[in-house]
Amino acid sequence: MAFFRIGVFQFAPAFGEVDKNLARVEKAVEASERADLVVLPELFATGYQFVSHAEVGKLAEPVPGGPTTQFLLRLAKERCCVVVGGLAEKDGEAVYNAAVSVGSNGVLALYRKIHLFAEETVWFRPGDRPLPVFEARGTRVGIMVCFDWRFPEAARTLTLRGTDILAHPANLVHPHCPDAMVTRSLENRVFSATANRTGAEERGGKEKISFTGRSQVVSPEGERLIAMDAEEENFRVVEIDPALARDKHVTPQNDILRDRRPEFYER
């Protein structure tokens, strides 16, 4: 049995206070037992509720040269781990709701969210890259961000590309996601690690946004290995066996990938 340790950090970022948010991540991770994979929330460095394009442009950063990615690179090197976290990415004039994966030797993957939610469609361009899969200590990790959970095609695509663990940075506001991610894990026989945020934001006269917390790690059998509540700020780590995600049998006769009938799934 080859063990692999997943850590998820749940907290309430302070809007626009990048240095403060990075420091909180560093303190939490350094105070905890070591993880091979650390998953942080969506837009964990900036906060979520933007009020203008100028504000988005000011807080967005290039990858890998921006301070958030550089911080993650240092953290990954110091802790000998891989980190996945969400950030506002600037690429020329374009800004994306992105997630970056970094290891001790550099950037492993950059994903730009393909399913934008609500006002994200105002501030960000839709993602223009495939759903990525990368390797961490012999384990294959795929990235999906927040609202991607509503689209089973995202998790299935990552599974078909060989994913063992779905790394899922999130800023969730709907209560259904934790249960839906149990289904995503079951229907694909993969682990899933959702790092959500807590707290609320109410800026620029806009309606208050409250985040649901309940970060979790789910096994291929649908068991919640980590289950946080709606409010706790915590970094929690669980040990898994990635080989469980490579056995796609649900009975001796049934393999969920082999038994697919894609010729009947066409429109």
Side-chain angles (χ1 to χ4, degrees):
M1 186 177 290
F3 289 113
F4 185 92
R5 300 174 69 82
I6 303 173
V8 291
F9 183 41
Q10 174 172 291
F11 76 121
F15 188 89
E17 298 186 35
V18 174
D19 291 343
K20 178 179 179 180
N21 295 328
L22 299 185
R24 291 172 71 186
V25 170
E26 183 170 31
K27 181 179 179 181
V29 173
E30 288 186 345
S32 175
E33 55 190 313
R34 197 186 70 82
D36 297 297
L37 173 68
V38 173
V39 185
L40 305 173
E42 177 185 23
L43 298 169
F44 79 93
T46 60
Y48 185 81
Q49 195 177 45
F50 298 97
V51 298
S52 70
H53 286 286
E55 189 172 68
V56 177
K58 180 181 178 181
L59 290 170
E61 309 173 11
V63 174
T68 297
T69 307
Q70 288 298 305
F71 161 77
L72 295 177
L73 286 164
R74 177 174 61 81
L75 186 67
K77 187 172 184 178
E78 291 176 353
R79 299 292 291 181
C80 298
C81 67
V82 169
V83 187
V84 177
L87 75 164
E89 181 217 356
K90 182 182 291 184
D91 183 11
E93 296 300 313
V95 178
Y96 300 92
N97 184 342
V100 64
S101 170
V102 304
S104 56
N105 294 320
V107 174
L108 300 172
L110 174 65
Y111 170 58
R112 294 165 172 169
K113 186 175 179 180
I114 59 176
H115 301 110
L116 297 177
F117 177 71
E119 280 198 356
E120 293 171 28
T121 60
V122 176
W123 310 125
F124 301 109
R125 289 193 189 181
D128 58 358
R129 298 185 176 193
L131 292 149
V133 180
F134 62 91
E135 190 166 298
R137 262 201 61 214
T139 299
R140 292 177 63 80
V141 182
I143 302 176
M144 52 191 285
V145 172
C146 202
F147 194 50
D148 288 337
W149 72 268
R150 281 272 191 177
F151 300 84
E153 297 90 344
R156 176 51 56 91
T157 296
L158 289 167
T159 301
L160 292 173
R161 291 175 180 165
T163 292
D164 301 316
I165 303 168
L166 300 171
H168 184 212
N171 274 189
L172 297 163
V173 297
H174 290 161
H176 322 295
C177 178
D179 293 335
M181 290 305 293
V182 170
T183 300
R184 298 290 163 264
S185 286
L186 276 169
E187 67 194 3
N188 293 293
R189 286 198 56 81
V190 294
F191 293 92
S192 62
T194 297
N196 193 22
R197 64 160 290 175
T198 61
E201 291 181 357
E202 187 174 10
R203 306 184 63 250
K206 293 184 178 183
E207 184 177 349
K208 181 179 179 180
I209 299 176
S210 296
F211 302 94
T212 57
R214 298 178 64 198
S215 298
Q216 63 182 18
V217 174
V218 182
S219 78
E221 291 81 22
E223 179 186 1
R224 287 186 170 99
L225 307 177
I226 290 174
M228 299 192 198
D229 67 25
E231 298 179 355
E232 69 180 288
E233 177 172 322
N234 207 348
F235 179 68
R236 293 179 58 184
V237 178
V238 66
E239 194 168 68
I240 68 158
D241 179 5
L244 295 175
R246 297 164 194 162
D247 179 3
K248 302 301 184 183
H249 286 90
V250 292
T251 74
Q253 296 80 25
N254 294 107
D255 178 299
I256 61 166
L257 296 188
R258 184 196 64 202
D259 290 354
R260 295 175 68 247
R261 303 291 303 278
E263 68 272 25
F264 293 105
Y265 306 155
E266 299 293 332
R267 289 183 59 184

